[in-house]
């Protein structure tokens, strides 16, 4: 199907919600590996875990809780989420993300509303979208801060996708009809089939 045939009249969807990391840019960029190293650094620097144990702990936290941040908070570690993001995302080598003209052209052919939905913090989302050259293709960014506006106490649970609570927040904040919205998590290649 040619890109010129992609238009909202042929689609039952009003909105497409996109994941960001490893979806709009490839997992082969090296950002994912750098992120893992940064989480390991956070575990060592902030909580004194031995460097040799940090990768195993990170993997276990992800396996059990879905994210290191959620795992640490669930285990009672008291830390500021902004501090976590400043290490984990703030130290990323964003120069590894290159502008993607083909992706930009594809996104511009899509007439439906386009929204980013990421577990990452807003600053990371903006930097990654800027590096890709596609920030202006999206109407809204729903991110960590959107899902966790009052995360001040260590006992406050962290909300992240794919939890139903996170999905409900995204639907509410975006003001979309879930029956007329598609969420494209790791499926950018399938967009012409959806539209």
């Amino acid at each position: 199907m040619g890109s010129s045939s992609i238009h909202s009249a042929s689609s039952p969807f009003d909105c497409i919600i996109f994941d960001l990391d490893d979806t709009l840019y490839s997992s082969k960029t090296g950002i994912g590996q750098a992120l893992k190293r940064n989480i390991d650094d956070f575990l060592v620097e902030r909580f004194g875990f031995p460097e040799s144990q940090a990768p195993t702990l990170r993997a276990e936290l992800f396996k059990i809780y879905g994210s290191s941040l959620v795992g640490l908070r669930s285990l009672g570690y008291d830390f500021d989420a902004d501090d976590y993001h400043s290490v984990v995302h703030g130290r990323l080598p964003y120069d590894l993300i290159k502008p993607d003209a083909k992706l930009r052209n594809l996104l511009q052919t899509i007439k439906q509303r386009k929204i980013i939905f990421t577990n990452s913090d807003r600053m990371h989302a903006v930097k990654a979208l800027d590096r890709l050259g596609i920030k202006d293709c999206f109407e809204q960014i729903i991110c960590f801060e959107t899902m966790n506006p009052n995360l001040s106490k260590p006992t406050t649970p962290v909300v992240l996708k794919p939890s139903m609570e996170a999905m409900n927040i995204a639907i509410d904040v975006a003001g979309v009809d879930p029956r007329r919205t598609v969420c494209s998590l790791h499926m950018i290649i399938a967009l012409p089939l959806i539209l």
Side-chain angles (χ1 to χ4, degrees), residues 90-111:
R91 298 179 183 177
L92 288 175
Y94 286 102
D95 58 320
L96 295 177
I97 301 174
K98 305 297 183 198
D100 189 334
K102 289 173 84 174
L103 175 60
R104 180 175 178 77
N105 289 338
L106 174 62
L107 289 169
Q108 288 179 324
T109 65
I110 299 170
K111 303 306 177 201

Side-chain angles (χ1 to χ4, degrees), residues 121-155:
D121 64 310
R122 181 169 304 281
M123 190 175 303
H124 167 71
V126 168
K127 284 182 181 179
L129 292 169
D130 277 342
R131 291 290 305 168
L132 286 164
I134 60 172
K135 187 174 108 188
D136 63 324
C137 294
F138 295 92
E139 163 183 321
Q140 190 174 15
I141 298 172
I142 298 169
C143 59
F144 180 87
E145 293 89 343
T146 313
M147 295 179 281
N148 299 280
N150 302 311
L151 195 62
S152 55
K153 298 178 184 174
T155 56

